[in-house]
Amino acid sequence: MDVEHTIQFLLEHQAQFAADIQQLRSITANVVTLHAELAKKQADLAGVVREIAEIQREAEQERQAAEQENRQAHLRNEEAHQRNEEAHQRYEEAHRETEERFNTLIQMMDEWIRERRKNNRSE
C-alpha cells in the first residue's frame, strides 16, 4: 500500500505540476500580449510626443513671426508719427506765416484807409 500511496502521491503532484506549468504558460502568454500592447502604446505615445513637439515648434515660429511683425508695425507707426509731427510743424509754420502776412495786410489796409481818410479831409 505504501507503493500505491507513493504512486498516487506522485501522480497528484505530477498533475499539479502539469496544471502549474499550464498556468505559467497562460500567464506568460498574457505577459507577452501585455508587453506587445505596451510597446504599441509606447509607440503611439512617442508619436503623440513628436506631434506635440512639432506643434510647439510651429507655435514658437508663429510667435516669433508675430513678434517680428509687431516690431515692424511699431517701427512703421513711429515713422508715421514722426511724419505726422513734421507735417504738423510745417502746418504750424505755414499758419504762422499766413497769420503774419494777414496781419501785414491788415496793417497795410489800415494805413491805406487812414491815408485815404486823411486825404479826404484835406480836400
Side-chain angles (χ1 to χ4, degrees), residues 46-63:
V48 169
V49 168
R50 282 191 297 276
E51 287 178 27
I52 289 171
E54 180 62 21
I55 290 168
Q56 202 171 22
R57 186 186 62 76
E58 289 172 0
E60 179 61 20
Q61 287 177 339
E62 288 176 13
R63 185 195 64 75

Side-chain angles (χ1 to χ4, degrees), residues 1-22:
M1 200 130 84
D2 228 6
V3 172
E4 250 182 63
H5 185 61
T6 302
I7 292 175
Q8 185 63 29
F9 175 80
L10 290 174
L11 288 175
E12 286 175 8
H13 279 282
Q14 180 64 28
Q16 183 63 43
F17 182 74
D20 289 346
I21 291 291
Q22 184 57 36

Side-chain angles (χ1 to χ4, degrees), residues 62-75:
E62 288 176 13
R63 185 195 64 75
Q64 288 176 352
E67 192 175 275
Q68 178 66 23
E69 189 176 312
N70 189 26
R71 279 194 297 269
Q72 290 172 349
H74 184 70
L75 288 175

Side-chain angles (χ1 to χ4, degrees), residues 16-61:
Q16 183 63 43
F17 182 74
D20 289 346
I21 291 291
Q22 184 57 36
Q23 188 178 12
L24 285 174
R25 284 182 183 149
S26 177
I27 290 172
T28 301
N30 287 340
V31 167
V32 168
T33 302
L34 289 174
H35 181 61
E37 289 175 6
L38 179 61
K40 183 184 179 324
K41 288 182 181 184
Q42 283 177 330
D44 292 346
L45 182 58
V48 169
V49 168
R50 282 191 297 276
E51 287 178 27
I52 289 171
E54 180 62 21
I55 290 168
Q56 202 171 22
R57 186 186 62 76
E58 289 172 0
E60 179 61 20
Q61 287 177 339

